[in-house]
Amino acid sequence: MAKIIPFKAVRPAEDKVSLVTCRNYDDYSQAELAAWLNFNPYSFLHVINPAYVHSHTTSWDKRFKGVALKYQDFKREGVFVTEEKPNFYIYEIKSKTNSFTGILAGTSVDDYQNNHIKKHEDTLQYRVELFKDYLHQTRFNTEPVLITYPDSVELNTWISLKKKSKPLYSFSTTNKETHTLWKIDTESDIDWLVQHFENIPNLYIADGHHRSSSAELLRQQDQHLNNPNLDYFLSFLIAESNVKIYEFNRVIRDLNDFSKDQFLEKLGENFNIELKEQELWKPSKKGKFGMYLDGKFYALTFKDSDFLDKNASVLNQLDAQILYDTVLQPILNIGNLRNDERIDYISGKQPITEIKSAVDGGEFAVGFMLYPSDINEIKSIADADLIMPPKSTYIEPKFRSGLVVYEL
């Protein structure tokens, strides 16, 4: 069973919400960041990156304390308001091409530890420790873990009904998205939602493995505080069918001292190679890969179809793992996918021309395009207690910082 709880949120004042909320900090270039901070005094970027001009010379401890102080300033100045009691929230993100709707709730650290909230990605301990220290110093989180639940007609119908009521917020952003938030605050609705999730045996992390692991570590460190909020972490719960999964494509800086012809010959041991010339070709199913090399596109088809059908574990059948096992490691000598400086990643949300430009510009020698994984592959990996290769998936939706705050 999955345990979720309502929480006493801190959120922007209604007249300021479109000014306060922002994209993830890492999504901004330095020029964009400077512009937003200079002209918008209400941007949440002021909280998460205080005194940004000097941030590169400031210790993490001082930066985190600065975040905590600026957050309290925003509360004191009325930029943020605090709910009177715990609630759930329904949140909808609409763009020109996609629409996502989910539930904001607290999810259980115990469920995470007991593997009722399942994982498919590994974590880097230094990142887990760093975000744990951030939470410890700031005492708040506004970056929910994206968690999927099985599709439910009953829950979909309930959400659709609640979305007919007046929302707390409905606002547009400069990246042409519309964001709408509804409060679920009646006792009957809260009880119904809690009971519905109690009948779900397992939830699956789609995005936010480091955040959930940090929440576990924070509770362990701060258990002496007897703070019940530490027993849960902020999550955005969304139906499996409503997530959008993109691939992460790979670009490699050199051919490991192979000539182009030698490299193609090596590839031919495991792949059928078809020259596509200038066609912007990308794979349309598993077991096929696109490649851009020396100004030309290629279609690569994995030869061992029996391997894909029955002989391999769910992990070894992943296209990202096949590419690593047959090309990146044995031919190009790419070691650790997390920290080898010879490899970089471009999300499948970006056009293929980004890969072409990266190679044509001379920084990279070859690019590979993959077919995206689906939710069933991710769940199978998690159910088998296996870990996907780093940068296997880029998953949407992405949450807007500063929209809802979970205090610790």
Side-chain angles (χ1 to χ4, degrees), residues 260-285:
K260 173 186 169 181
D261 290 341
Q262 289 171 330
F263 178 62
L264 289 172
E265 183 179 350
K266 286 282 187 181
L267 281 180
E269 295 174 7
N270 287 299
F271 297 90
N272 294 316
I273 304 172
E274 181 182 356
L275 179 61
K276 293 291 184 178
E277 296 287 354
Q278 296 305 307
E279 179 186 347
L280 297 176
W281 192 88
K282 63 185 299 185
S284 59
K285 64 179 183 178

Side-chain angles (χ1 to χ4, degrees), residues 42-78:
Y42 297 115
S43 174
F44 195 68
L45 291 168
H46 286 284
V47 175
I48 56 180
N49 195 34
Y52 97 101
V53 173
H54 304 292
S55 62
H56 63 287
T57 61
T58 304
S59 68
W60 288 116
D61 185 65
K62 286 185 177 179
R63 287 185 66 179
F64 296 162
K65 287 178 179 177
V67 170
L69 290 172
K70 194 64 178 179
Y71 173 64
Q72 293 302 324
D73 286 345
F74 268 43
K75 289 180 68 176
R76 189 164 44 251
E77 294 165 3

Side-chain angles (χ1 to χ4, degrees), residues 64 112 121-136 208-218 220-221 338:
F64 296 162
Y112 175 81
E121 285 186 4
D122 206 354
T123 55
L124 295 175
Q125 191 60 29
Y126 84 91
R127 284 185 58 190
V128 173
E129 294 271 0
L130 187 64
F131 193 65
K132 181 266 295 179
D133 291 343
Y134 170 88
L135 296 174
H136 176 75
H209 289 78
H210 286 88
R211 279 164 271 162
S212 48
S213 184
S214 296
E216 177 188 25
L217 203 60
L218 180 71
Q220 180 181 336
Q221 175 179 301
R338 290 188 177 278

